[in-house]
Amino acid sequence: MMRLYIETVGCQMNVLDSELVVASLKRQGYELARAADQADTILFNTCSVRQHAEDKVYSALGKLKRTKQDFPDKIVGVLGCMAQKDQQRVFDRAPYVDLVVGPGQLHRVPELIEEARRGAGRQLAVSLGRREGAVEAVRRSHESFDPLRDPEMRPTPFQAYLRIQVGCDKFCAYCVVPMTRGPEQGRHPDAIVAEARTLADQGCLEIVLLGQTVNSYRYGTGPATVRLAHLLERLHAIDGIRRLKFVTGFPKDMTRELLEAVRDLPKVSPYLHVPLQSGSDPVLERMKRGYTVDDYRSMMERIRDTLPDAAVSSDFIVGFCGETEDDFERTKECVRAFRFKNSFIFKYSERSGTKAAERFPDDVPDGIKQRRNNELLEIQNAISEEDNVRLLGRTFDVLVEGPSKTARKKGEEGPDIQMTGRTHCDRIVVFDGETRQAGRILPITIYDASAHTLFGILDIPDPTPQVYSLLQGRSRGDEERCG
Ligand code: SAH
Ligand code: SF4
Ligand code: F3S
């Protein structure tokens, strides 16, 4: 039996890609190892979005040099966005790497490992660059492979990611993703629905639809074009699925039609992740985001009109080229005004090959980026906490994911341990419960809150299995839809 260890960094796309790679290798007889030193195949699924993500992988690879000297038969592979971006340079920096495989070529991993093991030397499989061929050829080289799924790799057994779109065509000036993931392509809706059915049959209650700009999803042309709203309707009809989420949204494509679908389809979470990136028009312009702060404000109004209780979250880049103190003040104002559920804040990291790297110097010193990052985070945290405190005393349906990190660290099991789950709006809730509650949607009443966590108690302290099933089937009013 071959043993495989895989380490994943980056976004949910990568988590899903790792699931698919593991599924394809298990078919070849591999099993998962808990640590790199117990494995004969070690894979890194990598991210290039910021320098830090790349440094982490190169440093982990550095540590494997000795291992490869001592155990030359071990196979080391670099997969994902950094493989696509750096290609041959991965071998130059870490000559003992056996395979480098871009995200559009992952279906070839089993075959490439075989080749390397047979002594055929280094294996490089990457997709075409955006200008390296005819449009169709570039597209095809980035198509991801058939959905072989592996439940063991999921966030939990009842939650799964489902890709509905690959690539990105927005070309934000700072971003490598359009290069590493190739052209935007919507998957065939029938394939998506079929995969969702399989997931539902496997016991998935929650499906998170993935795309870099998931709400730009389209399939087909003309009046027959299928959009995300139509897709949500079809997925909503699948028995067994209880919750549907989609990430990441692009502000300009958050249409009224889509928001109305979210409103009218109760399984669709009233949770929208739509990054603003900056609160200053000149910065947005240099970033080539294609909208102004006013456009974003109109989108927020659309959201509040249609879905008054929706939770909206955002991403921000601080210290982008030429960002002044005044630009940053505007970003702060937006964070205060829009009251996001949470924001992911990143220091700008220059990426070679992007428009920003070509056109603008990375001129904000790291110390200033760090300060702006801290300041923005502090404002966001205060808002998150204030809004969470408003939820005290309310009862929400929580999809219980399992023991919380603290409980897991202590190796606890059984009754009265801290369990964690999420509301329909994606808020994290912890409560004292028991392991067998994982995978159930239970009513939890909130008694305390911090910026990132709601603390609750189960509505009924120790319900019998019969009561559980009653609770699960209970239809709840509008008030509990969100939280
Ligand atoms: N497709 C998604 C996510 C892209 S990457 C979207 O468009 O929202 C996730 C986040 O990383 C981005 O939203 C952005 O905030 C951040 N990011 C992307 N490139 C970056 C860079 N060069 N430096 C710092 N942060 C970056
Ligand atoms: Fe990158 Fe912009 Fe595409 Fe998001 S929308 S992946 S930030 S280019
Ligand atoms: Fe990173 Fe690639 Fe995702 S660059 S953020 S792993 S699409």
Side-chain angles (χ1 to χ4, degrees):
M1 178 74 79
M2 293 298 232
R3 292 170 66 80
L4 161 75
Y5 179 74
I6 185 163
E7 208 165 290
T8 308
V9 290
C11 62
Q12 291 107 327
M13 281 285 176
N14 263 15
V15 175
L16 175 57
D17 283 339
S18 291
E19 179 183 327
L20 301 176
V21 167
V22 168
S24 65
L25 286 170
K26 276 193 175 171
R27 271 213 174 166
Q28 315 280 317
Y30 280 79
E31 67 171 35
L32 278 178
R34 294 216 170 275
D37 58 3
Q38 294 162 13
D40 14 55
T41 302
I42 303 168
L43 302 176
F44 293 92
N45 195 5
T46 63
C47 172
S48 277
V49 83
R50 284 169 290 276
Q51 186 62 43
H52 178 68
E54 297 193 344
D55 292 346
K56 269 207 308 219
V57 172
Y58 277 116
S59 118
L61 282 175
K63 290 191 191 121
L64 283 180
K65 189 172 177 182
R66 268 294 299 277
T67 317
K68 259 303 245 197
Q69 276 164 2
D70 297 344
F71 306 96
D73 290 344
K74 280 196 192 218
I75 297 290
V76 176
V78 174
L79 321 178
C81 289
M82 198 181 83
Q84 180 66 34
K85 178 173 155 282
D86 285 358
Q87 307 196 355
Q88 180 64 37
R89 277 174 305 204
V90 178
F91 294 129
D92 299 343
R93 283 184 70 170
Y96 41 89
V97 167
D98 299 286
L99 51 142
V100 169
V101 189
Q105 300 289 318
L106 295 176
H107 54 287
R108 297 185 54 198
V109 166
E111 153 212 339
L112 296 169
I113 292 179
E114 271 314 294
E115 288 291 301
R117 197 154 264 136
R118 236 187 294 142
R122 292 169 180 167
Q123 305 294 315
L124 174 71
V126 289
S127 303
L128 294 174
R130 302 233 12 174
R131 291 198 200 102
E132 279 179 349
V135 179
E136 248 336 284
V138 175
R139 275 170 180 258
R140 263 201 312 278
S141 81
H142 282 277
E143 257 167 28
S144 58
F145 54 111
D146 283 323
L148 274 176
R149 309 289 311 231
D150 189 72
E152 205 186 330
M153 289 297 289
R154 298 211 180 121
T156 71
F158 16 85
Q159 295 171 299
Y161 294 127
L162 202 177
R163 189 181 346 249
I164 68 168
Q165 178 194 60
V166 298
C168 179
D169 281 347
K170 304 288 187 207
F171 285 100
C172 303
Y174 49 79
C175 185
V176 286
V177 174
M179 270 76 82
T180 61
R181 296 267 170 179
E184 180 189 317
Q185 308 183 59
R187 267 180 81 190
H188 196 298
D190 292 347
I192 297 170
V193 171
E195 195 177 340
R197 282 217 184 89
T198 311
L199 290 170
D201 290 344
Q202 291 172 353
C204 283
L205 301 176
E206 178 180 277
I207 293 184
V208 183
L209 307 178
L210 297 186
Q212 292 300 340
T213 54
V214 72
N215 56 342
S216 326
Y217 171 85
R218 47 154 69 222
Y219 188 86
T221 48
T225 307
V226 179
R227 300 203 177 259
L228 181 55
H230 313 135
L231 197 55
L232 287 172
E233 254 174 57
R234 287 186 64 184
L235 296 171
H236 194 269
I238 298 175
D239 281 341
I241 295 176
R242 302 285 301 274
R243 283 183 183 180
L244 286 162
K245 292 180 181 165
F246 52 90
V247 287
T248 303
F250 193 71
K252 276 198 114 169
D253 297 321
M254 205 51 96
T255 58
R256 195 167 279 278
E257 187 197 18
L258 174 59
L259 295 169
E260 283 168 359
V262 177
R263 179 194 63 196
D264 298 339
L265 300 168
K267 292 179 183 176
V268 180
S269 292
Y271 161 64
L272 304 167
H273 182 65
V274 223
L276 169 59
Q277 310 294 3
S278 166
S280 155
D281 284 341
V283 175
L284 287 173
E285 165 105 47
R286 281 200 297 283
M287 286 179 164
K288 288 188 69 230
R289 285 288 286 179
Y291 55 82
T292 61
V293 175
D294 265 345
D295 295 334
Y296 194 91
R297 188 173 295 116
S298 314
M299 176 203 75
M300 283 303 256
E301 280 161 13
R302 249 181 348 260
I303 294 176
R304 300 290 177 224
D305 277 358
T306 333
L307 297 159
D309 283 331
V312 181
S313 62
S314 179
D315 293 355
F316 288 95
I317 297 177
V318 292
F320 184 63
C321 315
E323 185 189 69
T324 63
E325 229 26 69
D326 186 55
D327 293 322
F328 178 60
E329 281 305 313
R330 281 161 207 268
T331 300
K332 285 193 222 144
E333 280 162 23
C334 284
V335 170
R336 290 194 191 100
F338 296 141
R339 301 194 78 85
F340 299 109
K341 173 180 82 95
N342 66 299
S343 292
F344 298 97
I345 302 165
F346 307 103
K347 293 187 286 177
Y348 172 59
S349 167
E350 186 176 89
R351 313 281 58 218
S352 60
T354 59
K355 290 244 161 53
E358 272 168 32
R359 289 185 192 165
F360 315 114
D362 178 12
D363 54 2
V364 178
D366 191 63
I368 295 184
K369 287 178 182 167
Q370 190 59 54
R371 173 180 55 78
R372 290 180 186 168
N373 191 325
N374 297 347
E375 280 181 30
L376 205 58
L377 197 60
E378 206 174 301
I379 297 171
Q380 176 62 60
N381 282 347
I383 287 168
S384 302
E385 185 166 344
E386 272 169 39
D387 285 354
N388 276 348
V389 164
R390 287 194 196 139
L391 304 176
L392 298 191
R394 287 180 60 184
T395 304
F396 298 114
D397 286 344
V398 171
L399 170 56
V400 185
E401 293 174 359
S404 73
K405 260 194 208 139
T406 8
R408 278 203 302 273
K409 218 184 289 159
K410 291 191 205 143
E412 291 173 349
E413 259 188 66
D416 295 332
I417 69 160
Q418 193 178 61
M419 299 292 285
T420 180
R422 277 173 203 262
T423 67
H424 213 1
C425 275
D426 207 52
R427 292 195 166 84
I428 296 167
V429 179
V430 299
F431 66 100
D432 279 343
E434 28 191 307
T435 19
R436 70 184 153 91
Q437 289 161 341
R440 298 181 183 275
I441 296 177
L442 297 175
I444 307 282
T445 303
I446 307 306
Y447 69 86
D448 200 2
S450 67
H452 303 291
T453 314
L454 300 173
F455 301 87
I457 41 170
L458 188 61
D459 242 7
I460 297 172
D462 186 25
T464 61
Q466 285 83 349
V467 176
Y468 270 136
S469 57
L470 281 175
L471 288 173
Q472 294 243 47
R474 176 160 119 182
S475 79
R476 304 182 68 89
D478 270 340
E479 198 214 1
E480 282 81 11
R481 247 203 95 190
C482 199

PDB file of all heavy atoms in Angstrom, residues 157-177:
ATOM      1  N   PRO A 157     -17.870  15.766   6.997  1.00  0.00           N
ATOM      2  CA  PRO A 157     -18.569  14.838   6.095  1.00  0.00           C
ATOM      3  C   PRO A 157     -19.853  15.416   5.494  1.00  0.00           C
ATOM      4  O   PRO A 157     -20.339  14.911   4.494  1.00  0.00           O
ATOM      5  CB  PRO A 157     -18.910  13.648   6.998  1.00  0.00           C
ATOM      6  CG  PRO A 157     -18.025  13.768   8.175  1.00  0.00           C
ATOM      7  CD  PRO A 157     -17.721  15.220   8.341  1.00  0.00           C
ATOM      8  N   PHE A 158     -20.399  16.472   6.116  1.00  0.00           N
ATOM      9  CA  PHE A 158     -21.696  16.973   5.622  1.00  0.00           C
ATOM     10  C   PHE A 158     -21.575  18.314   4.920  1.00  0.00           C
ATOM     11  O   PHE A 158     -22.554  18.986   4.661  1.00  0.00           O
ATOM     12  CB  PHE A 158     -22.708  17.048   6.769  1.00  0.00           C
ATOM     13  CG  PHE A 158     -22.050  16.979   8.094  1.00  0.00           C
ATOM     14  CD1 PHE A 158     -21.541  18.114   8.674  1.00  0.00           C
ATOM     15  CD2 PHE A 158     -21.889  15.748   8.718  1.00  0.00           C
ATOM     16  CE1 PHE A 158     -20.874  18.032   9.876  1.00  0.00           C
ATOM     17  CE2 PHE A 158     -21.223  15.660   9.920  1.00  0.00           C
ATOM     18  CZ  PHE A 158     -20.718  16.802  10.497  1.00  0.00           C
ATOM     19  N   GLN A 159     -20.347  18.727   4.628  1.00  0.00           N
ATOM     20  CA  GLN A 159     -20.151  19.974   3.892  1.00  0.00           C
ATOM     21  C   GLN A 159     -19.211  19.688   2.726  1.00  0.00           C
ATOM     22  O   GLN A 159     -18.189  19.031   2.908  1.00  0.00           O
ATOM     23  CB  GLN A 159     -19.482  21.024   4.786  1.00  0.00           C
ATOM     24  CG  GLN A 159     -20.343  21.450   5.945  1.00  0.00           C
ATOM     25  CD  GLN A 159     -19.553  22.302   6.914  1.00  0.00           C
ATOM     26  OE1 GLN A 159     -18.567  21.859   7.478  1.00  0.00           O
ATOM     27  NE2 GLN A 159     -19.996  23.532   7.113  1.00  0.00           N
ATOM     28  N   ALA A 160     -19.547  20.202   1.555  1.00  0.00           N
ATOM     29  CA  ALA A 160     -18.666  19.961   0.416  1.00  0.00           C
ATOM     30  C   ALA A 160     -18.582  21.199  -0.469  1.00  0.00           C
ATOM     31  O   ALA A 160     -19.518  21.997  -0.540  1.00  0.00           O
ATOM     32  CB  ALA A 160     -19.178  18.784  -0.401  1.00  0.00           C
ATOM     33  N   TYR A 161     -17.450  21.340  -1.113  1.00  0.00           N
ATOM     34  CA  TYR A 161     -17.292  22.368  -2.132  1.00  0.00           C
ATOM     35  C   TYR A 161     -17.695  21.785  -3.477  1.00  0.00           C
ATOM     36  O   TYR A 161     -17.519  20.599  -3.727  1.00  0.00           O
ATOM     37  CB  TYR A 161     -15.833  22.811  -2.211  1.00  0.00           C
ATOM     38  CG  TYR A 161     -15.340  23.512  -0.975  1.00  0.00           C
ATOM     39  CD1 TYR A 161     -14.193  23.086  -0.322  1.00  0.00           C
ATOM     40  CD2 TYR A 161     -16.024  24.609  -0.471  1.00  0.00           C
ATOM     41  CE1 TYR A 161     -13.721  23.739   0.810  1.00  0.00           C
ATOM     42  CE2 TYR A 161     -15.564  25.264   0.661  1.00  0.00           C
ATOM     43  CZ  TYR A 161     -14.411  24.825   1.291  1.00  0.00           C
ATOM     44  OH  TYR A 161     -13.963  25.475   2.399  1.00  0.00           O
ATOM     45  N   LEU A 162     -18.210  22.634  -4.331  1.00  0.00           N
ATOM     46  CA  LEU A 162     -18.569  22.207  -5.685  1.00  0.00           C
ATOM     47  C   LEU A 162     -18.171  23.322  -6.645  1.00  0.00           C
ATOM     48  O   LEU A 162     -18.662  24.443  -6.537  1.00  0.00           O
ATOM     49  CB  LEU A 162     -20.087  21.960  -5.742  1.00  0.00           C
ATOM     50  CG  LEU A 162     -20.653  21.042  -6.825  1.00  0.00           C
ATOM     51  CD1 LEU A 162     -22.145  20.892  -6.648  1.00  0.00           C
ATOM     52  CD2 LEU A 162     -20.319  21.444  -8.209  1.00  0.00           C
ATOM     53  N   ARG A 163     -17.294  22.989  -7.565  1.00  0.00           N
ATOM     54  CA  ARG A 163     -16.818  24.015  -8.498  1.00  0.00           C
ATOM     55  C   ARG A 163     -17.847  24.221  -9.595  1.00  0.00           C
ATOM     56  O   ARG A 163     -18.302  23.264 -10.208  1.00  0.00           O
ATOM     57  CB  ARG A 163     -15.496  23.543  -9.100  1.00  0.00           C
ATOM     58  CG  ARG A 163     -14.810  24.600  -9.902  1.00  0.00           C
ATOM     59  CD  ARG A 163     -13.503  24.144 -10.534  1.00  0.00           C
ATOM     60  NE  ARG A 163     -12.964  22.913 -10.019  1.00  0.00           N
ATOM     61  CZ  ARG A 163     -11.854  22.835  -9.287  1.00  0.00           C
ATOM     62  NH1 ARG A 163     -11.190  23.917  -8.980  1.00  0.00           N
ATOM     63  NH2 ARG A 163     -11.402  21.661  -8.883  1.00  0.00           N
ATOM     64  N   ILE A 164     -18.230  25.474  -9.819  1.00  0.00           N
ATOM     65  CA  ILE A 164     -19.149  25.719 -10.924  1.00  0.00           C
ATOM     66  C   ILE A 164     -18.447  26.509 -12.036  1.00  0.00           C
ATOM     67  O   ILE A 164     -18.970  26.639 -13.130  1.00  0.00           O
ATOM     68  CB  ILE A 164     -20.446  26.440 -10.468  1.00  0.00           C
ATOM     69  CG1 ILE A 164     -20.181  27.876 -10.008  1.00  0.00           C
ATOM     70  CG2 ILE A 164     -21.141  25.653  -9.378  1.00  0.00           C
ATOM     71  CD1 ILE A 164     -21.478  28.680  -9.838  1.00  0.00           C
ATOM     72  N   GLN A 165     -17.265  27.003 -11.711  1.00  0.00           N
ATOM     73  CA  GLN A 165     -16.564  27.873 -12.668  1.00  0.00           C
ATOM     74  C   GLN A 165     -15.065  27.701 -12.432  1.00  0.00           C
ATOM     75  O   GLN A 165     -14.644  27.570 -11.285  1.00  0.00           O
ATOM     76  CB  GLN A 165     -16.999  29.307 -12.332  1.00  0.00           C
ATOM     77  CG  GLN A 165     -16.407  30.420 -13.125  1.00  0.00           C
ATOM     78  CD  GLN A 165     -16.689  31.756 -12.425  1.00  0.00           C
ATOM     79  OE1 GLN A 165     -16.279  31.957 -11.289  1.00  0.00           O
ATOM     80  NE2 GLN A 165     -17.398  32.645 -13.093  1.00  0.00           N
ATOM     81  N   VAL A 166     -14.306  27.697 -13.504  1.00  0.00           N
ATOM     82  CA  VAL A 166     -12.850  27.744 -13.332  1.00  0.00           C
ATOM     83  C   VAL A 166     -12.356  29.077 -13.894  1.00  0.00           C
ATOM     84  O   VAL A 166     -13.060  29.749 -14.646  1.00  0.00           O
ATOM     85  CB  VAL A 166     -12.112  26.577 -14.036  1.00  0.00           C
ATOM     86  CG1 VAL A 166     -12.531  25.236 -13.481  1.00  0.00           C
ATOM     87  CG2 VAL A 166     -12.334  26.629 -15.549  1.00  0.00           C
ATOM     88  N   GLY A 167     -11.135  29.452 -13.513  1.00  0.00           N
ATOM     89  CA  GLY A 167     -10.479  30.617 -14.101  1.00  0.00           C
ATOM     90  C   GLY A 167     -11.073  31.953 -13.717  1.00  0.00           C
ATOM     91  O   GLY A 167     -11.992  32.046 -12.901  1.00  0.00           O
ATOM     92  N   CYS A 168     -10.502  33.006 -14.307  1.00  0.00           N
ATOM     93  CA  CYS A 168     -10.979  34.362 -14.044  1.00  0.00           C
ATOM     94  C   CYS A 168     -10.585  35.256 -15.210  1.00  0.00           C
ATOM     95  O   CYS A 168      -9.467  35.162 -15.721  1.00  0.00           O
ATOM     96  CB  CYS A 168     -10.369  34.901 -12.754  1.00  0.00           C
ATOM     97  SG  CYS A 168     -10.925  36.586 -12.403  1.00  0.00           S
ATOM     98  N   ASP A 169     -11.517  36.112 -15.626  1.00  0.00           N
ATOM     99  CA  ASP A 169     -11.253  37.055 -16.717  1.00  0.00           C
ATOM    100  C   ASP A 169     -11.236  38.503 -16.257  1.00  0.00           C
ATOM    101  O   ASP A 169     -11.269  39.405 -17.080  1.00  0.00           O
ATOM    102  CB  ASP A 169     -12.332  36.915 -17.800  1.00  0.00           C
ATOM    103  CG  ASP A 169     -12.089  35.712 -18.700  1.00  0.00           C
ATOM    104  OD1 ASP A 169     -10.983  35.142 -18.638  1.00  0.00           O
ATOM    105  OD2 ASP A 169     -13.015  35.345 -19.437  1.00  0.00           O
ATOM    106  N   LYS A 170     -11.225  38.753 -14.956  1.00  0.00           N
ATOM    107  CA  LYS A 170     -11.326  40.141 -14.508  1.00  0.00           C
ATOM    108  C   LYS A 170      -9.983  40.874 -14.570  1.00  0.00           C
ATOM    109  O   LYS A 170      -9.959  42.087 -14.664  1.00  0.00           O
ATOM    110  CB  LYS A 170     -11.887  40.216 -13.085  1.00  0.00           C
ATOM    111  CG  LYS A 170     -13.228  39.533 -12.891  1.00  0.00           C
ATOM    112  CD  LYS A 170     -14.373  40.311 -13.537  1.00  0.00           C
ATOM    113  CE  LYS A 170     -15.700  39.674 -13.168  1.00  0.00           C
ATOM    114  NZ  LYS A 170     -16.757  39.876 -14.138  1.00  0.00           N
ATOM    115  N   PHE A 171      -8.907  40.163 -14.466  1.00  0.00           N
ATOM    116  CA  PHE A 171      -7.582  40.782 -14.569  1.00  0.00           C
ATOM    117  C   PHE A 171      -7.389  41.985 -13.663  1.00  0.00           C
ATOM    118  O   PHE A 171      -6.935  43.041 -14.116  1.00  0.00           O
ATOM    119  CB  PHE A 171      -7.272  41.162 -16.018  1.00  0.00           C
ATOM    120  CG  PHE A 171      -6.936  39.985 -16.879  1.00  0.00           C
ATOM    121  CD1 PHE A 171      -7.880  39.425 -17.719  1.00  0.00           C
ATOM    122  CD2 PHE A 171      -5.671  39.405 -16.818  1.00  0.00           C
ATOM    123  CE1 PHE A 171      -7.577  38.318 -18.501  1.00  0.00           C
ATOM    124  CE2 PHE A 171      -5.360  38.305 -17.595  1.00  0.00           C
ATOM    125  CZ  PHE A 171      -6.308  37.759 -18.442  1.00  0.00           C
ATOM    126  N   CYS A 172      -7.738  41.881 -12.401  1.00  0.00           N
ATOM    127  CA  CYS A 172      -7.396  42.936 -11.452  1.00  0.00           C
ATOM    128  C   CYS A 172      -5.870  43.094 -11.495  1.00  0.00           C
ATOM    129  O   CYS A 172      -5.145  42.106 -11.612  1.00  0.00           O
ATOM    130  CB  CYS A 172      -7.866  42.565 -10.051  1.00  0.00           C
ATOM    131  SG  CYS A 172      -9.637  42.241 -10.029  1.00  0.00           S
ATOM    132  N   ALA A 173      -5.421  44.369 -11.426  1.00  0.00           N
ATOM    133  CA  ALA A 173      -4.022  44.655 -11.746  1.00  0.00           C
ATOM    134  C   ALA A 173      -3.022  43.929 -10.844  1.00  0.00           C
ATOM    135  O   ALA A 173      -1.894  43.665 -11.252  1.00  0.00           O
ATOM    136  CB  ALA A 173      -3.787  46.164 -11.673  1.00  0.00           C
ATOM    137  N   TYR A 174      -3.442  43.594  -9.615  1.00  0.00           N
ATOM    138  CA  TYR A 174      -2.503  43.023  -8.635  1.00  0.00           C
ATOM    139  C   TYR A 174      -2.473  41.508  -8.636  1.00  0.00           C
ATOM    140  O   TYR A 174      -1.684  40.887  -7.944  1.00  0.00           O
ATOM    141  CB  TYR A 174      -2.914  43.481  -7.223  1.00  0.00           C
ATOM    142  CG  TYR A 174      -4.390  43.265  -6.953  1.00  0.00           C
ATOM    143  CD1 TYR A 174      -4.869  42.011  -6.619  1.00  0.00           C
ATOM    144  CD2 TYR A 174      -5.307  44.314  -7.096  1.00  0.00           C
ATOM    145  CE1 TYR A 174      -6.221  41.791  -6.423  1.00  0.00           C
ATOM    146  CE2 TYR A 174      -6.660  44.104  -6.904  1.00  0.00           C
ATOM    147  CZ  TYR A 174      -7.110  42.837  -6.575  1.00  0.00           C
ATOM    148  OH  TYR A 174      -8.440  42.621  -6.410  1.00  0.00           O
ATOM    149  N   CYS A 175      -3.345  40.856  -9.415  1.00  0.00           N
ATOM    150  CA  CYS A 175      -3.695  39.464  -9.128  1.00  0.00           C
ATOM    151  C   CYS A 175      -3.123  38.453 -10.119  1.00  0.00           C
ATOM    152  O   CYS A 175      -3.160  38.646 -11.328  1.00  0.00           O
ATOM    153  CB  CYS A 175      -5.212  39.342  -9.099  1.00  0.00           C
ATOM    154  SG  CYS A 175      -5.795  37.729  -8.606  1.00  0.00           S
ATOM    155  N   VAL A 176      -2.610  37.342  -9.607  1.00  0.00           N
ATOM    156  CA  VAL A 176      -2.052  36.283 -10.462  1.00  0.00           C
ATOM    157  C   VAL A 176      -3.086  35.268 -10.934  1.00  0.00           C
ATOM    158  O   VAL A 176      -2.798  34.480 -11.846  1.00  0.00           O
ATOM    159  CB  VAL A 176      -0.967  35.431  -9.747  1.00  0.00           C
ATOM    160  CG1 VAL A 176       0.318  36.178  -9.599  1.00  0.00           C
ATOM    161  CG2 VAL A 176      -1.462  34.868  -8.437  1.00  0.00           C
ATOM    162  N   VAL A 177      -4.259  35.262 -10.306  1.00  0.00           N
ATOM    163  CA  VAL A 177      -5.199  34.164 -10.561  1.00  0.00           C
ATOM    164  C   VAL A 177      -5.566  33.997 -12.049  1.00  0.00           C
ATOM    165  O   VAL A 177      -5.594  32.869 -12.543  1.00  0.00           O
ATOM    166  CB  VAL A 177      -6.449  34.286  -9.655  1.00  0.00           C
ATOM    167  CG1 VAL A 177      -7.493  33.246 -10.003  1.00  0.00           C
ATOM    168  CG2 VAL A 177      -6.039  34.157  -8.190  1.00  0.00           C
TER     169      VAL A 177
END
